[in-house]
Each structure stands twice: as C-alpha cells, then as structure tokens.
Amino acid sequence: MEAKTHIVLVSIPVLSHQVSLLEFAKQLIHLYKNSFHVTCIIPTISNSPSIASKPFFDTLPSSIQCIFLPPINFDDLKNEVLLESQVQISVFKSMPYVFETLRSISTNSNLVALIVDGFAHEAHKFAKELSILSYTYFPGSAMVLSMCLYFSKLDKIITCEYKDHPTPIEIPGCISLHGRDLPDSVQDRSNLAYNLFHHRSQQLHQADGIIINSFHELESETFDAISQNGPYGPNVYPVGPIIQTRRNIKNQACESVLWLDNQPPNSVIYISFGSGGTHSQDQINELALGLELSKYKFLWVNWRQPNDKASASYLSNDEVDPLHFLPLGFLERTKGQGFVMCGWAPQVEVLKHDAIGAFLTHCGWNSILESIVHGVSMIAWPLFAEQRSNAELMTNGLRIAMRPKYDSKGIVVKEEVVNVIKGVMESEEIGRRMKELQKFANCAMMEDGSSMKTFSMLALKWKSLGKSM
C-alpha cells in the first residue's frame, strides 16, 4: 500500500485555536480518505486535554494523532502579562520539544508540510531545516490578518497610543476602526504584548503561505486588498468557513437541546461567552436581570465564576459552580422562561436548532462562523483579544449584529440588555442579511465553491509532493 502523505500541525494551548486547526485537518482527511496522516503537536500550560476539550479530542478520526507536549510552568507571569503574551511565551518555551518531535516524525514518515498557528511562528525555521513546506494557519478574520500585515507601517504612522487616536484608523480593504477596538495586544506600547504582536505580525513573511479560516465572499474587499497590496498576494488561502462538526451529545449537553425541542421556532436567544470569558459580578447581575426583563426565552451557558478581568479564566481550571453567583431568586423567577447550564454546550447543535432566534456572543471567530453557517443573527459582546475588532466587522461592516453600549462604569446595564435583545430578535433587515451570508458560506464549501477549490488545490499539491518522495 502506498504510504500516506504526512502533514504536521503545531497548535497553541488555547482550545478555540486547537479546534479550528484540527477541524481543518478533519476536512482534509474526509475529502482525501486514505491519502493523508496528520499529527498535531500541542504545547501545554497545564494537564491537557481539559475536561472541556476532551469530548472533541475523543472523537478525532484515527488518521489524526495529537501529541501533547510537557506542560510549561510560568505561574510567576500569569498575573503580570496579557493572555496573548502568556500563550506566546509558553509556545516559545516549548519549541525544543516541538523540534524533537518533528525531527522524529520526519525520519519515519512521508512528511511534506508543516502548518503552524500564528502564535507558533518559531516552528517555521524547522521546516526549512527539514526542506518541507510551511504554512501559517490563521484562525481569525481577513480583517485581522490585514491589520497584522499592515502593522509595521501602522506602527510608524501612529505615534500615540492607539486608544487615544482621535480619528478612526484605516486598514487596507477594511472598515475603519477606532483605536480602542484594535486587539488588546496593541493598546499599550510599553507592554510586552505589543512587542510580541509586532514581531508575530512580521513573522507572517516566513511561511510559504497563509491558510485562513474565512471565505472570499465574506470579506472580498479585504482579500482583494491583501492580494493587491500585501506581501503575500496569491499565497493567502481562504478555506473557510471551517466550523466544528457534529459531536455526540451526552448528559447535561443533551438537556439543553431537549429544552430547545419544547420551544417555539426563532423564540430563544442563546448566550455564550466561550470557554474562557468572564464578567464582573455587577455585569453578571445586569445581564441576568436584563434577560429576565426582556421576557424572551433564553439558553445561557455560564462557564465561570465572576472576575473583573475578561480573560481571567482562559488558562485556569477552576471548578466553582458559577450558578452560585447569579442574582438571588433569578433561577426561580425565570424557570419557565430560560435554561441556565454550566460547562460545555453542543454549540453547533444549539445554533442549528429551529428554536434559536439570536446569539449573544463574545465574538470569537469560531463562534461567528458557526453563527453565519447556521444563519443566526448576533448580539456582539466582545471581551478581549481581537474580539472588539470582530464585533465592529459584524455590526458596522457586515451589519448582521448589534453591539450593546456601556455606561460610564463600563457596565452594560439591564435596560441596554433588553434593548439589544429586542433589536436583534425583531430586526428583519439583520435577519435578511444573515440569511444571505449563510447562502454564501454554504456555497463556498460546496465542491465547486471558492474555499473548496482552494482546499483541493493545497491538498493535491501536498499529495504530489508525497508521491515524489
């Protein structure tokens, strides 16, 4: 039997990035059965996989192998640097293990390409040493990619702090963004995160190409601008929307879908801030009371206990029951109106359910793509990282979402919660635009669709290299 062509992925210790990269691998395996074997090398900070991620890893096909590297201990940094810096440092410290694993794989398999997360750019040099192709996998939007490619120039043009810039900032092929809506990493020039972001953006030039989880029809002007003005041009490969595929529903996860089965069509707002997002106690109170006052049905996935830092729980494994922090009597008063659950939820199954009318989301790119694929309008409530940029794209660019306003204390009060819920649930225009994008998303992944053609081009190139070895 002909040896399978081997592809190695290098991810980072962030579940959303791991899921996106591995879903890309699953698509490759599905389309080209018996042709590819994929190994994913994953640096870790704590023991992995976590309880939240275990169901996903347990259902990977046998042609995909995951290797979790020894945990990196840097507890002394956790309260001193931004999340992005923590991730970057942990990956950098894992590079000796990455190279050792990669070299071992290359001596025993038909290895042709290395695909690395943008936070793991140091691994590109290993591909050059092994004389194989290397690609950056970009799990975010083309808008954020354009921002990264343009950042060196932007850094010279704007000399003040971005959040203090008096006018919206122009990024090639994108809507203008206020400085405060740029990623957290660039908000403080004196912070380590700023230098790491700048360096990471420059390293995009190292790879043979950038594989991005978006699709041309979603961000056509941005892709055109990158192609015309960026250093990569045709070497940017849109292959999205790649979203999480169906998983087995067990235990409490099944309860949420069963609850939805008993609700009228388009009547429920789904609330989830991802597996790592957190709110202050005051914000949780206002959100809960706003849901109650809205009178709309709701399904609220509440992962974490309160914290004033939005990303505080992203790398933590706390087991405190977040339901204890809801307003007194809230669960009893909303018993017939809503369903609140803790822990993992089958988000794809939830979003595709007929009962769902809107999605209140933290604007992680995976969640945005899942919402678009299933035609669900959004309330954009960003928390950290590049989520504010994504929220602006959804609200002012694509106009498929509403974004709540904060009061002088940085809180979305209950009346504003009611306002955005009512606005999105009752907006025919937002719903119409979302349904149009849903059609484009589905077409992109058809056999003759734009993303599938790009996907096939890459796969056939890798297969031909494998045969020549």
Side-chain angles (χ1 to χ4, degrees), residues 326-368:
L326 295 173
L328 185 64
F330 170 76
L331 292 176
E332 291 76 15
R333 293 193 304 272
T334 59
K335 191 172 183 179
Q337 178 188 355
F339 184 85
V340 183
M341 60 174 292
C342 301
W344 177 81
Q347 183 157 293
V348 171
E349 282 75 15
V350 168
L351 288 172
K352 73 195 299 185
H353 201 286
D354 290 341
I356 297 297
F359 180 17
L360 196 163
T361 172
H362 63 306
C363 292
W365 191 244
N366 287 348
S367 290
I368 286 173

Side-chain angles (χ1 to χ4, degrees), residues 81-92:
V81 297
L82 291 176
L83 168 67
E84 294 93 326
S85 300
Q86 297 177 39
V87 170
Q88 190 80 74
I89 293 167
S90 69
V91 173
F92 175 76

Side-chain angles (χ1 to χ4, degrees), residues 181-425:
D181 286 321
L182 295 183
D184 287 349
S185 299
V186 305
Q187 294 299 327
D188 183 354
R189 290 173 182 267
S190 66
N191 197 294
L192 172 64
Y194 188 93
N195 292 328
L196 289 175
F197 182 90
H198 196 176
H199 180 65
R200 190 164 64 247
S201 296
Q202 291 176 317
Q203 300 312 303
L204 288 168
H205 302 265
Q206 288 186 357
D208 293 299
I210 301 172
I211 300 168
I212 181 170
N213 188 13
S214 185
F215 55 104
H216 195 274
E217 294 84 352
L218 181 68
E219 303 181 85
S220 58
E221 292 183 9
T222 308
F223 281 117
D224 290 344
I226 292 173
S227 176
Q228 293 167 10
N229 302 313
Y232 274 90
N235 290 335
V236 173
Y237 303 103
V239 295
I242 294 173
I243 66 169
Q244 202 162 341
T245 49
R246 185 178 179 88
R247 294 190 282 179
N248 294 328
I249 304 173
K250 299 178 182 179
N251 303 327
Q252 190 175 19
C254 188
E255 293 180 30
S256 61
V257 177
L258 289 174
W259 183 82
L260 288 173
D261 288 342
N262 294 314
Q263 310 308 319
N266 302 312
S267 66
V268 178
I269 179 163
Y270 169 54
I271 304 102
S272 175
F273 293 96
S275 58
T278 52
H279 288 293
S280 67
Q281 181 64 68
D282 288 343
Q283 185 60 86
I284 288 176
N285 291 342
E286 292 295 320
L287 174 56
L289 295 174
L291 291 171
E292 182 180 351
L293 284 172
S294 76
K295 303 302 181 184
Y296 276 97
K297 301 272 188 176
F298 64 87
L299 170 61
W300 185 3
V301 179
N302 195 356
W303 276 78
R304 303 291 189 178
Q305 62 179 307
N307 197 297
D308 289 336
K309 185 177 180 182
S311 62
S313 67
Y314 217 97
L315 302 177
S316 72
N317 290 305
D318 57 78
E319 298 295 336
V320 179
D321 183 358
L323 297 186
H324 292 165
F325 301 94
L326 295 173
L328 185 64
F330 170 76
L331 292 176
E332 291 76 15
R333 293 193 304 272
T334 59
K335 191 172 183 179
Q337 178 188 355
F339 184 85
V340 183
M341 60 174 292
C342 301
W344 177 81
Q347 183 157 293
V348 171
E349 282 75 15
V350 168
L351 288 172
K352 73 195 299 185
H353 201 286
D354 290 341
I356 297 297
F359 180 17
L360 196 163
T361 172
H362 63 306
C363 292
W365 191 244
N366 287 348
S367 290
I368 286 173
L369 290 180
E370 288 167 359
S371 199
I372 290 172
V373 167
H374 294 102
V376 179
S377 302
M378 289 176 279
I379 296 172
W381 191 321
L383 299 179
F384 56 90
E386 81 290 351
Q387 293 166 10
R388 290 186 300 276
S389 302
N390 291 341
E392 283 300 290
L393 175 61
M394 296 304 108
T395 54
N396 294 323
L398 299 171
R399 295 180 296 153
I400 54 174
M402 287 184 65
R403 186 174 176 181
K405 296 180 176 61
Y406 295 86
D407 69 3
S408 60
K409 296 180 181 178
I411 298 291
V412 180
V413 297
K414 57 183 179 293
E415 292 83 5
E416 179 64 5
V417 173
V418 174
N419 180 54
V420 291
I421 289 176
K422 182 179 176 64
V424 170
M425 293 290 280

Side-chain angles (χ1 to χ4, degrees), residues 158-166 189:
I158 297 176
T159 56
C160 65
E161 295 290 0
Y162 287 94
K163 62 179 179 290
D164 298 327
H165 198 263
R189 290 173 182 267

Side-chain angles (χ1 to χ4, degrees), residues 118-138:
F119 279 85
H121 57 80
E122 294 92 348
H124 286 302
K125 63 184 178 183
F126 305 146
K128 289 180 173 59
E129 292 181 31
L130 297 170
S131 299
I132 59 175
L133 294 173
S134 71
Y135 300 83
T136 294
Y137 184 82
F138 200 88

Side-chain angles (χ1 to χ4, degrees), residues 162-178:
Y162 287 94
K163 62 179 179 290
D164 298 327
H165 198 263
T167 59
I169 295 169
E170 300 292 332
I171 298 166
C174 305
I175 59 169
S176 300
L177 292 175
H178 289 286

